Amino acid sequence: MKVMVLFSGGVDSTTCLALAVRAHGAGNVIALSISYGQKHSREIEAARKIASYYNVDWKQLDLSTIFVDSDCSLLSSSCEEIPKETYAEQLIETGGKPVSTYVPFRNGLFIASAASMALSLGCEIIYYGPHADDAAGNAYPDCSEEFNDAMKTAVYIGSGKQLCIKAPFVDKTKKDIVKLGIELDVPYELTWSCYEGGNNPCGVCGTCRDRQNAFLANGVQDPLIK
Amino acid sequence: MKVMVLFSGGVDSTTCLALAVRAHGAGNVIALSISYGQKHSREIEAARKIASYYNVDWKQLDLSTIFVDSDCSLLSSSCEEIPKETYAEQLIETGGKPVSTYVPFRNGLFIASAASMALSLGCEIIYYGPHADDAAGNAYPDCSEEFNDAMKTAVYIGSGKQLCIKAPFVDKTKKDIVKLGIELDVPYELTWSCYEGGNNPCGVCGTCRDRQNAFLANGVQDPLIK
Protein backbone atom coordinates (compact mmCIF):
# COMPACT_ATOMS: atom_id res chain seq x y z
CA MET A 1 0.00 0.00 0.00
CA LYS A 2 1.31 3.46 -0.94
CA VAL A 3 1.03 6.29 1.59
CA MET A 4 1.79 10.01 1.72
CA VAL A 5 3.26 11.91 4.68
CA LEU A 6 2.77 15.67 5.12
CA PHE A 7 6.31 16.54 5.94
CA SER A 8 7.67 19.90 7.09
CA GLY A 9 11.08 18.73 8.29
CA GLY A 10 10.28 19.49 11.94
CA VAL A 11 10.20 17.18 14.95
CA ASP A 12 6.55 16.08 14.67
CA SER A 13 6.34 15.31 10.96
CA THR A 14 9.77 13.64 10.96
CA THR A 15 8.61 11.30 13.72
CA CYS A 16 5.44 10.73 11.68
CA LEU A 17 7.58 9.88 8.64
CA ALA A 18 9.60 7.40 10.72
CA LEU A 19 6.35 5.70 11.80
CA ALA A 20 5.09 5.50 8.21
CA VAL A 21 8.41 4.07 6.97
CA ARG A 22 8.33 1.42 9.71
CA ALA A 23 4.71 0.51 8.90
CA HIS A 24 4.81 0.53 5.09
CA GLY A 25 8.47 0.40 3.99
CA ALA A 26 10.42 3.33 2.53
CA GLY A 27 9.55 2.34 -1.05
CA ASN A 28 5.84 2.89 -0.39
CA VAL A 29 6.17 6.30 1.26
CA ILE A 30 5.92 9.68 -0.49
CA ALA A 31 6.91 12.67 1.67
CA LEU A 32 5.22 15.93 0.64
CA SER A 33 6.73 19.28 1.71
CA ILE A 34 4.69 22.41 1.08
CA SER A 35 6.07 25.95 0.87
CA TYR A 36 3.64 28.67 1.86
CA GLY A 37 5.79 31.79 1.68
CA GLN A 38 7.82 31.33 4.86
CA LYS A 39 10.44 33.92 5.72
CA HIS A 40 13.16 31.30 5.19
CA SER A 41 13.77 27.96 3.45
CA ARG A 42 15.49 26.13 6.31
CA GLU A 43 12.54 23.76 6.79
CA ILE A 44 12.53 22.74 3.13
CA GLU A 45 16.29 22.10 3.22
CA ALA A 46 15.84 19.98 6.35
CA ALA A 47 12.98 18.08 4.72
CA ARG A 48 15.11 17.28 1.67
CA LYS A 49 17.93 15.90 3.81
CA ILE A 50 15.63 13.79 5.96
CA ALA A 51 13.75 12.37 2.94
CA SER A 52 17.13 11.40 1.53
CA TYR A 53 18.16 9.84 4.89
CA TYR A 54 15.01 7.68 4.86
CA ASN A 55 15.30 7.02 1.13
CA VAL A 56 11.68 7.99 0.43
CA ASP A 57 10.23 9.74 -2.61
CA TRP A 58 10.10 13.48 -1.86
CA LYS A 59 7.74 15.94 -3.48
CA GLN A 60 7.56 19.71 -3.09
CA LEU A 61 4.56 21.96 -3.63
CA ASP A 62 4.57 25.77 -3.57
CA LEU A 63 1.30 27.31 -2.33
CA SER A 64 2.72 30.71 -1.41
CA THR A 65 0.44 32.62 -3.84
CA ILE A 66 -2.52 31.63 -1.67
CA PHE A 67 -1.14 33.58 1.29
CA VAL A 68 0.01 36.80 -0.38
CA ASP A 69 -2.69 38.81 1.45
CA SER A 70 -2.14 37.23 4.87
CA ASP A 71 -0.52 39.21 7.71
CA CYS A 72 0.65 36.05 9.48
CA SER A 73 4.03 36.80 11.05
CA LEU A 74 5.69 33.69 9.58
CA LEU A 75 5.28 34.91 6.02
CA SER A 76 7.81 36.85 3.98
CA SER A 77 4.91 38.98 2.67
CA SER A 78 4.09 40.16 6.22
CA CYS A 79 5.61 43.02 8.20
CA GLU A 80 4.62 41.42 11.53
CA GLU A 81 7.45 40.30 13.81
CA ILE A 82 7.55 36.71 15.03
CA PRO A 83 6.63 36.77 18.76
CA LYS A 84 9.16 35.74 21.38
CA GLU A 85 6.59 34.81 24.02
CA THR A 86 5.31 31.33 24.82
CA TYR A 87 1.95 30.37 23.27
CA ALA A 88 0.26 30.73 26.67
CA GLU A 89 1.53 34.33 26.93
CA GLN A 90 0.51 35.09 23.33
CA LEU A 91 -3.01 33.76 23.91
CA ILE A 92 -3.49 36.23 26.76
CA GLU A 93 -2.62 39.01 24.30
CA THR A 94 -4.93 37.72 21.51
CA GLY A 95 -7.82 37.15 23.93
CA GLY A 96 -8.04 33.46 22.93
CA LYS A 97 -7.98 34.10 19.18
CA PRO A 98 -5.40 32.31 16.98
CA VAL A 99 -1.82 33.54 17.53
CA SER A 100 0.04 35.67 14.96
CA THR A 101 1.95 32.61 13.72
CA TYR A 102 -1.36 30.93 12.78
CA VAL A 103 -1.24 30.58 8.98
CA PRO A 104 -4.87 30.90 7.81
CA PHE A 105 -6.37 27.39 7.53
CA ARG A 106 -2.94 26.03 6.67
CA ASN A 107 -3.51 22.49 7.88
CA GLY A 108 -6.85 22.29 6.06
CA LEU A 109 -5.20 23.48 2.86
CA PHE A 110 -2.22 21.14 3.30
CA ILE A 111 -4.44 18.12 3.91
CA ALA A 112 -6.69 18.97 0.96
CA SER A 113 -3.69 19.48 -1.36
CA ALA A 114 -2.14 16.24 -0.14
CA ALA A 115 -5.48 14.48 -0.72
CA SER A 116 -5.67 15.63 -4.36
CA MET A 117 -2.06 14.56 -4.95
CA ALA A 118 -2.33 11.30 -2.99
CA LEU A 119 -5.39 10.22 -5.01
CA SER A 120 -3.57 11.05 -8.25
CA LEU A 121 -0.56 8.99 -7.12
CA GLY A 122 -2.53 5.98 -5.86
CA CYS A 123 -1.90 6.48 -2.13
CA GLU A 124 -4.47 5.16 0.34
CA ILE A 125 -3.40 6.95 3.53
CA ILE A 126 -2.15 10.44 4.38
CA TYR A 127 -0.19 10.73 7.62
CA TYR A 128 0.26 14.05 9.35
CA GLY A 129 1.50 15.11 12.74
CA PRO A 130 -0.65 17.63 14.66
CA HIS A 131 -0.54 17.14 18.42
CA ALA A 132 -2.44 18.16 21.53
CA ASP A 133 -0.04 20.95 22.61
CA ASP A 134 -0.50 22.87 19.34
CA ALA A 135 -4.27 22.94 19.72
CA ALA A 136 -4.24 24.04 23.37
CA GLY A 137 -6.25 27.18 24.03
CA ASN A 138 -7.11 27.74 20.34
CA ALA A 139 -3.54 28.91 19.46
CA TYR A 140 -3.74 26.76 16.29
CA PRO A 141 -7.40 25.78 15.82
CA ASP A 142 -6.46 23.73 12.75
CA CYS A 143 -4.55 21.32 14.99
CA SER A 144 -7.51 20.43 17.22
CA GLU A 145 -9.02 16.96 17.44
CA GLU A 146 -12.41 18.37 16.38
CA PHE A 147 -10.89 19.90 13.24
CA ASN A 148 -8.97 16.74 12.52
CA ASP A 149 -12.08 14.54 12.86
CA ALA A 150 -13.99 16.77 10.43
CA MET A 151 -11.15 16.77 7.86
CA LYS A 152 -10.84 13.00 8.20
CA THR A 153 -14.52 12.61 7.31
CA ALA A 154 -14.30 15.19 4.50
CA VAL A 155 -11.35 13.39 2.89
CA TYR A 156 -12.81 9.90 3.31
CA ILE A 157 -16.25 10.84 1.93
CA GLY A 158 -15.00 13.38 -0.63
CA SER A 159 -12.56 10.84 -2.10
CA GLY A 160 -15.28 8.26 -2.62
CA LYS A 161 -13.88 6.28 0.38
CA GLN A 162 -10.54 5.79 -1.38
CA LEU A 163 -8.33 7.76 1.05
CA CYS A 164 -7.91 7.93 4.85
CA ILE A 165 -6.19 10.47 7.08
CA LYS A 166 -4.10 9.28 10.02
CA ALA A 167 -3.00 11.75 12.68
CA PRO A 168 -1.20 9.46 15.14
CA PHE A 169 -0.24 12.25 17.59
CA VAL A 170 -3.50 14.16 17.82
CA ASP A 171 -4.03 13.15 21.47
CA LYS A 172 -0.30 13.13 22.35
CA THR A 173 2.06 15.84 23.64
CA LYS A 174 5.34 16.87 22.00
CA LYS A 175 7.10 15.14 24.88
CA ASP A 176 5.36 11.86 23.91
CA ILE A 177 6.36 12.37 20.26
CA VAL A 178 10.05 12.87 21.11
CA LYS A 179 9.94 9.82 23.38
CA LEU A 180 8.65 7.70 20.49
CA GLY A 181 11.13 9.29 18.08
CA ILE A 182 14.08 8.44 20.33
CA GLU A 183 12.92 4.81 20.35
CA LEU A 184 12.70 4.94 16.53
CA ASP A 185 16.19 6.49 16.18
CA VAL A 186 14.80 9.56 14.40
CA PRO A 187 17.70 11.76 13.16
CA TYR A 188 16.54 14.86 15.05
CA GLU A 189 19.89 16.52 14.30
CA LEU A 190 18.64 16.92 10.71
CA THR A 191 15.30 18.53 11.64
CA TRP A 192 14.49 22.25 11.77
CA SER A 193 11.78 23.89 13.87
CA CYS A 194 12.79 27.52 14.53
CA TYR A 195 10.54 30.15 12.94
CA GLU A 196 13.59 32.28 12.17
CA GLY A 197 16.03 31.29 9.42
CA GLY A 198 19.41 31.71 11.13
CA ASN A 199 22.33 29.29 11.08
CA ASN A 200 21.32 28.07 14.51
CA PRO A 201 17.87 28.01 16.17
CA CYS A 202 17.03 31.35 17.87
CA GLY A 203 16.10 29.47 21.05
CA VAL A 204 13.39 31.95 22.05
CA CYS A 205 10.51 31.70 19.54
CA GLY A 206 7.49 29.62 20.55
CA THR A 207 8.47 26.57 18.57
CA CYS A 208 12.13 26.63 19.75
CA ARG A 209 10.98 26.73 23.37
CA ASP A 210 8.48 23.93 22.90
CA ARG A 211 11.03 21.76 21.16
CA GLN A 212 13.73 22.21 23.79
CA ASN A 213 11.23 21.47 26.56
CA ALA A 214 10.12 18.27 24.83
CA PHE A 215 13.71 17.00 24.69
CA LEU A 216 14.48 18.07 28.28
CA ALA A 217 11.30 16.34 29.52
CA ASN A 218 12.77 13.14 28.07
CA GLY A 219 16.07 13.73 29.86
CA VAL A 220 18.04 14.54 26.69
CA GLN A 221 19.43 17.67 25.07
CA ASP A 222 17.99 18.94 21.78
CA PRO A 223 20.74 17.92 19.29
CA LEU A 224 20.46 21.33 17.56
CA ILE A 225 21.50 23.17 20.74
CA LYS A 226 25.29 23.49 20.77
CA MET B 1 -19.62 41.85 5.88
CA LYS B 2 -17.23 40.63 3.17
CA VAL B 3 -17.84 37.28 1.51
CA MET B 4 -16.11 35.06 -1.06
CA VAL B 5 -17.80 33.01 -3.79
CA LEU B 6 -16.14 29.98 -5.37
CA PHE B 7 -16.88 30.81 -8.95
CA SER B 8 -16.27 28.62 -12.01
CA GLY B 9 -18.36 30.59 -14.49
CA GLY B 10 -20.93 27.79 -14.86
CA VAL B 11 -24.67 27.79 -14.15
CA ASP B 12 -24.50 26.80 -10.47
CA SER B 13 -21.75 29.10 -9.24
CA THR B 14 -23.09 32.04 -11.27
CA THR B 15 -26.47 31.62 -9.59
CA CYS B 16 -24.61 31.39 -6.27
CA LEU B 17 -22.80 34.64 -7.09
CA ALA B 18 -26.14 36.31 -7.90
CA LEU B 19 -27.46 35.24 -4.49
CA ALA B 20 -24.38 36.55 -2.69
CA VAL B 21 -24.54 39.89 -4.53
CA ARG B 22 -28.22 40.26 -3.61
CA ALA B 23 -27.52 39.40 0.06
CA HIS B 24 -24.30 41.39 0.64
CA GLY B 25 -23.96 43.95 -2.17
CA ALA B 26 -21.47 43.71 -5.05
CA GLY B 27 -18.85 45.76 -3.17
CA ASN B 28 -18.60 43.11 -0.46
CA VAL B 29 -18.26 40.11 -2.77
CA ILE B 30 -14.99 38.57 -3.97
CA ALA B 31 -15.39 35.94 -6.71
CA LEU B 32 -12.58 33.36 -6.78
CA SER B 33 -11.94 31.31 -9.94
CA ILE B 34 -9.49 28.42 -9.71
CA SER B 35 -7.67 26.83 -12.65
CA TYR B 36 -6.73 23.20 -12.17
CA GLY B 37 -5.26 22.28 -15.53
CA GLN B 38 -8.47 22.03 -17.57
CA LYS B 39 -8.20 21.19 -21.27
CA HIS B 40 -9.49 24.68 -22.13
CA SER B 41 -9.85 28.15 -20.60
CA ARG B 42 -13.45 28.85 -21.63
CA GLU B 43 -14.68 28.69 -18.02
CA ILE B 44 -12.13 31.25 -16.85
CA GLU B 45 -13.07 33.61 -19.70
CA ALA B 46 -16.74 33.21 -18.80
CA ALA B 47 -15.97 33.85 -15.13
CA ARG B 48 -14.11 37.06 -15.97
CA LYS B 49 -17.02 38.40 -18.02
CA ILE B 50 -19.62 37.53 -15.38
CA ALA B 51 -17.56 39.06 -12.54
CA SER B 52 -17.35 42.20 -14.64
CA TYR B 53 -21.13 42.09 -15.31
CA TYR B 54 -21.79 41.95 -11.56
CA ASN B 55 -19.04 44.45 -10.80
CA VAL B 56 -17.44 42.26 -8.13
CA ASP B 57 -13.77 41.87 -7.25
CA TRP B 58 -12.43 38.85 -9.18
CA LYS B 59 -9.45 36.76 -8.16
CA GLN B 60 -7.79 33.90 -10.01
CA LEU B 61 -5.74 31.06 -8.54
CA ASP B 62 -3.81 28.44 -10.49
CA LEU B 63 -3.58 25.05 -8.77
CA SER B 64 -2.77 23.00 -11.86
CA THR B 65 0.57 21.75 -10.47
CA ILE B 66 -1.36 19.76 -7.85
CA PHE B 67 -3.04 17.64 -10.54
CA VAL B 68 -0.09 16.87 -12.84
CA ASP B 69 -0.22 13.17 -11.94
CA SER B 70 -4.00 12.79 -12.21
CA ASP B 71 -5.58 10.84 -15.08
CA CYS B 72 -8.89 12.71 -14.77
CA SER B 73 -10.29 13.15 -18.27
CA LEU B 74 -10.91 16.90 -17.82
CA LEU B 75 -7.21 17.66 -17.46
CA SER B 76 -4.84 18.69 -20.22
CA SER B 77 -2.21 16.40 -18.65
CA SER B 78 -4.46 13.36 -19.18
CA CYS B 79 -4.86 11.18 -22.27
CA GLU B 80 -8.35 10.07 -21.21
CA GLU B 81 -11.26 11.13 -23.43
CA ILE B 82 -14.16 13.02 -21.88
CA PRO B 83 -17.14 10.59 -21.80
CA LYS B 84 -20.23 11.28 -23.88
CA GLU B 85 -22.57 9.21 -21.70
CA THR B 86 -24.89 10.52 -18.98
CA TYR B 87 -23.62 10.22 -15.39
CA ALA B 88 -26.07 7.36 -14.78
CA GLU B 89 -24.57 5.43 -17.72
CA GLN B 90 -21.01 6.21 -16.61
CA LEU B 91 -21.71 4.99 -13.06
CA ILE B 92 -22.76 1.60 -14.44
CA GLU B 93 -19.34 1.41 -16.15
CA THR B 94 -17.37 2.50 -13.05
CA GLY B 95 -19.31 0.16 -10.75
CA GLY B 96 -20.37 3.06 -8.53
CA LYS B 97 -16.88 4.59 -8.23
CA PRO B 98 -16.32 8.28 -9.09
CA VAL B 99 -16.63 9.03 -12.84
CA SER B 100 -13.61 9.84 -15.03
CA THR B 101 -14.43 13.56 -14.85
CA TYR B 102 -14.05 13.46 -11.04
CA VAL B 103 -11.04 15.71 -10.29
CA PRO B 104 -9.38 14.20 -7.18
CA PHE B 105 -10.78 15.95 -4.08
CA ARG B 106 -11.25 19.11 -6.14
CA ASN B 107 -14.03 20.61 -4.05
CA GLY B 108 -12.14 19.95 -0.82
CA LEU B 109 -9.06 21.62 -2.25
CA PHE B 110 -11.05 24.55 -3.64
CA ILE B 111 -12.84 25.15 -0.33
CA ALA B 112 -9.61 24.90 1.65
CA SER B 113 -7.80 27.30 -0.72
CA ALA B 114 -10.73 29.70 -0.58
CA ALA B 115 -10.71 29.46 3.23
CA SER B 116 -7.02 30.42 3.44
CA MET B 117 -7.58 33.34 1.05
CA ALA B 118 -10.89 34.42 2.61
CA LEU B 119 -9.33 34.60 6.09
CA SER B 120 -6.42 36.63 4.70
CA LEU B 121 -8.88 39.03 3.03
CA GLY B 122 -11.24 39.42 5.99
CA CYS B 123 -14.20 37.50 4.54
CA GLU B 124 -16.61 35.81 6.94
CA ILE B 125 -18.51 33.51 4.55
CA ILE B 126 -17.58 31.35 1.57
CA TYR B 127 -20.41 30.52 -0.80
CA TYR B 128 -20.21 27.60 -3.17
CA GLY B 129 -22.67 25.81 -5.37
CA PRO B 130 -22.67 21.99 -5.20
CA HIS B 131 -26.10 20.44 -5.71
CA ALA B 132 -27.93 17.18 -5.18
CA ASP B 133 -27.70 15.97 -8.82
CA ASP B 134 -23.88 16.08 -8.83
CA ALA B 135 -23.65 13.86 -5.75
CA ALA B 136 -26.16 11.27 -7.00
CA GLY B 137 -24.80 7.74 -7.03
CA ASN B 138 -21.28 8.77 -5.93
CA ALA B 139 -20.42 10.31 -9.37
CA TYR B 140 -18.84 13.27 -7.54
CA PRO B 141 -18.45 12.28 -3.88
CA ASP B 142 -17.08 15.75 -3.07
CA CYS B 143 -20.49 17.25 -3.85
CA SER B 144 -22.42 15.17 -1.31
CA GLU B 145 -24.20 16.64 1.69
CA GLU B 146 -22.11 14.46 4.03
CA PHE B 147 -18.87 15.81 2.52
CA ASN B 148 -20.20 19.33 2.65
CA ASP B 149 -21.20 19.03 6.33
CA ALA B 150 -17.73 17.75 7.23
CA MET B 151 -15.94 20.54 5.30
CA LYS B 152 -18.25 23.11 6.91
CA THR B 153 -17.19 21.92 10.35
CA ALA B 154 -13.52 21.70 9.36
CA VAL B 155 -13.51 25.30 8.08
CA TYR B 156 -15.49 26.70 11.01
CA ILE B 157 -13.36 24.96 13.67
CA GLY B 158 -10.05 25.19 11.79
CA SER B 159 -10.47 28.95 11.29
CA GLY B 160 -11.00 29.56 14.99
CA LYS B 161 -14.74 30.11 14.28
CA GLN B 162 -13.99 33.08 12.03
CA LEU B 163 -15.31 31.65 8.74
CA CYS B 164 -18.49 29.83 7.61
CA ILE B 165 -19.27 27.85 4.47
CA LYS B 166 -22.65 28.25 2.81
CA ALA B 167 -23.75 25.78 0.14
CA PRO B 168 -27.26 27.03 -0.64
CA PHE B 169 -28.00 24.39 -3.31
CA VAL B 170 -26.74 21.25 -1.59
CA ASP B 171 -30.28 19.81 -1.29
CA LYS B 172 -31.54 21.32 -4.58
CA THR B 173 -31.53 20.04 -8.18
CA LYS B 174 -30.07 21.87 -11.15
CA LYS B 175 -33.65 22.51 -12.27
CA ASP B 176 -34.31 24.35 -8.96
CA ILE B 177 -31.10 26.38 -9.41
CA VAL B 178 -32.05 27.53 -12.92
CA LYS B 179 -35.57 28.41 -11.70
CA LEU B 180 -34.06 30.65 -9.00
CA GLY B 181 -31.54 32.09 -11.47
CA ILE B 182 -34.28 33.06 -13.93
CA GLU B 183 -36.01 34.93 -11.09
CA LEU B 184 -32.72 36.67 -10.28
CA ASP B 185 -32.10 37.61 -13.96
CA VAL B 186 -28.81 35.70 -14.05
CA PRO B 187 -27.02 36.34 -17.39
CA TYR B 188 -26.83 32.64 -18.33
CA GLU B 189 -25.80 33.62 -21.85
CA LEU B 190 -22.38 34.54 -20.37
CA THR B 191 -21.85 31.22 -18.54
CA TRP B 192 -19.91 28.18 -19.78
CA SER B 193 -20.46 24.58 -18.71
CA CYS B 194 -19.27 22.31 -21.53
CA TYR B 195 -16.23 20.15 -20.70
CA GLU B 196 -14.91 20.68 -24.23
CA GLY B 197 -13.45 24.02 -25.28
CA GLY B 198 -15.13 24.62 -28.64
CA ASN B 199 -16.74 27.82 -29.86
CA ASN B 200 -20.14 26.39 -28.99
CA PRO B 201 -21.09 23.78 -26.36
CA CYS B 202 -20.67 20.20 -27.66
CA GLY B 203 -24.18 19.36 -26.47
CA VAL B 204 -23.35 15.75 -25.63
CA CYS B 205 -20.97 15.71 -22.63
CA GLY B 206 -22.50 15.04 -19.21
CA THR B 207 -22.55 18.64 -18.12
CA CYS B 208 -24.02 19.91 -21.43
CA ARG B 209 -26.86 17.38 -21.17
CA ASP B 210 -27.58 18.25 -17.55
CA ARG B 211 -27.60 21.94 -18.29
CA GLN B 212 -29.95 21.70 -21.26
CA ASN B 213 -32.32 19.49 -19.28
CA ALA B 214 -32.39 21.98 -16.39
CA PHE B 215 -33.43 24.79 -18.74
CA LEU B 216 -35.99 22.64 -20.57
CA ALA B 217 -37.50 21.53 -17.25
CA ASN B 218 -38.17 25.22 -16.58
CA GLY B 219 -39.81 25.63 -19.98
CA VAL B 220 -37.00 27.72 -21.50
CA GLN B 221 -34.19 27.11 -23.97
CA ASP B 222 -30.54 27.18 -22.81
CA PRO B 223 -29.37 30.56 -24.16
CA LEU B 224 -26.09 28.98 -25.35
CA ILE B 225 -27.94 26.65 -27.73
CA LYS B 226 -28.37 28.42 -31.08
Side-chain angles (χ1 to χ4, degrees):
Chain A
M1 182 197 297
K2 280 174 74 181
V3 304
M4 182 171 273
V5 180
L6 265 172
F7 179 53
S8 71
V11 163
D12 312 327
S13 68
T14 303
T15 312
C16 206
L17 179 64
L19 271 184
V21 167
R22 188 179 65 172
H24 304 280
N28 290 315
V29 174
I30 299 170
L32 173 65
S33 300
I34 304 181
S35 307
Y36 54 94
Q38 297 100 311
K39 285 180 171 157
H40 63 83
S41 59
R42 287 298 304 258
E43 283 170 315
I44 294 286
E45 285 166 38
R48 185 181 53 75
K49 285 181 192 160
I50 298 162
S52 168
Y53 173 93
Y54 278 113
N55 206 18
V56 297
D57 190 5
W58 182 55
K59 290 195 178 283
Q60 276 191 86
L61 176 66
D62 185 351
L63 295 179
S64 53
T65 55
I66 290 181
F67 296 106
V68 287
D69 293 305
S70 170
D71 61 358
C72 166
S73 62
L74 294 189
L75 303 174
S76 60
S77 53
S78 162
C79 305
E80 296 276 321
E81 288 231 347
I82 297 170
K84 303 291 183 212
E85 296 87 25
T86 64
Y87 293 129
E89 289 163 350
Q90 291 176 50
L91 281 164
I92 293 169
E93 277 181 39
T94 66
K97 287 199 172 169
V99 297
S100 89
T101 47
Y102 166 74
V103 185
F105 205 60
R106 181 180 62 180
N107 281 1
L109 177 63
F110 282 14
I111 292 167
S113 307
S116 290
M117 292 178 73
L119 286 167
S120 304
L121 292 162
C123 299
E124 294 175 50
I125 300 173
I126 296 171
Y127 285 88
Y128 87 122
H131 58 82
D133 295 345
D134 274 342
N138 207 35
Y140 294 106
D142 57 346
C143 289
S144 69
E145 207 163 343
E146 195 178 357
F147 163 78
N148 184 62
D149 286 347
M151 266 324 276
K152 246 184 184 168
T153 304
V155 168
Y156 185 63
I157 299 299
S159 67
K161 303 184 181 175
Q162 298 182 90
L163 185 63
C164 294
I165 301 286
K166 287 197 180 175
F169 309 141
V170 79
D171 58 355
K172 296 197 165 24
T173 64
K174 207 172 185 84
K175 175 188 165 188
D176 300 332
I177 295 173
V178 169
K179 182 169 185 281
L180 174 65
I182 292 168
E183 289 164 18
L184 291 172
D185 274 330
V186 169
Y188 285 125
E189 69 281 4
L190 300 179
T191 62
W192 186 262
S193 306
C194 178
Y195 286 147
E196 309 281 357
N199 285 330
N200 295 304
C202 74
V204 289
C205 71
T207 187
C208 270
R209 290 167 187 249
D210 280 4
R211 173 183 170 126
Q212 287 167 38
N213 289 337
F215 280 98
L216 289 176
N218 282 288
V220 296
Q221 181 70 38
D222 179 347
L224 290 190
I225 303 295
K226 310 285 176 192
Chain B
M1 182 199 297
K2 281 172 74 180
V3 305
M4 182 172 272
V5 180
L6 265 173
F7 179 53
S8 71
V11 163
D12 312 326
S13 68
T14 302
T15 312
C16 205
L17 180 64
L19 271 185
V21 167
R22 187 178 65 171
H24 304 280
N28 290 314
V29 174
I30 299 170
L32 173 65
S33 300
I34 303 180
S35 307
Y36 53 94
Q38 297 100 313
K39 285 181 172 157
H40 63 84
S41 59
R42 288 296 304 257
E43 284 171 316
I44 294 286
E45 287 166 38
R48 185 181 53 74
K49 285 182 191 160
I50 298 161
S52 168
Y53 173 92
Y54 277 113
N55 207 18
V56 298
D57 190 5
W58 182 55
K59 290 195 178 285
Q60 277 191 85
L61 176 66
D62 185 352
L63 294 179
S64 53
T65 54
I66 289 181
F67 297 107
V68 287
D69 293 305
S70 170
D71 61 358
C72 165
S73 62
L74 294 189
L75 302 175
S76 60
S77 53
S78 161
C79 305
E80 296 276 322
E81 289 232 346
I82 297 170
K84 303 293 182 210
E85 295 88 23
T86 64
Y87 292 128
E89 288 163 351
Q90 291 175 51
L91 281 164
I92 293 170
E93 277 181 41
T94 66
K97 288 200 172 169
V99 296
S100 87
T101 49
Y102 166 74
V103 184
F105 206 60
R106 181 180 63 179
N107 281 1
L109 177 64
F110 283 13
I111 292 167
S113 307
S116 290
M117 293 178 73
L119 286 166
S120 304
L121 292 162
C123 298
E124 295 175 49
I125 300 173
I126 296 170
Y127 285 88
Y128 88 122
H131 58 82
D133 295 345
D134 273 343
N138 206 35
Y140 293 106
D142 58 346
C143 289
S144 68
E145 207 163 344
E146 194 178 358
F147 163 78
N148 185 60
D149 286 347
M151 267 321 277
K152 247 186 186 167
T153 304
V155 167
Y156 185 62
I157 299 300
S159 67
K161 304 184 180 174
Q162 298 181 90
L163 186 63
C164 294
I165 300 286
K166 287 198 180 175
F169 309 141
V170 79
D171 58 354
K172 296 197 165 24
T173 64
K174 207 170 185 86
K175 175 189 166 188
D176 301 332
I177 295 173
V178 169
K179 181 169 186 283
L180 174 66
I182 292 169
E183 288 163 18
L184 292 171
D185 275 330
V186 169
Y188 285 125
E189 69 282 5
L190 300 179
T191 61
W192 186 262
S193 305
C194 179
Y195 286 146
E196 309 280 357
N199 285 329
N200 295 304
C202 74
V204 290
C205 71
T207 186
C208 270
R209 290 167 188 248
D210 279 3
R211 173 182 170 126
Q212 286 167 39
N213 290 338
F215 280 98
L216 289 175
N218 281 287
V220 297
Q221 180 71 38
D222 179 347
L224 289 190
I225 304 295
K226 310 289 176 189

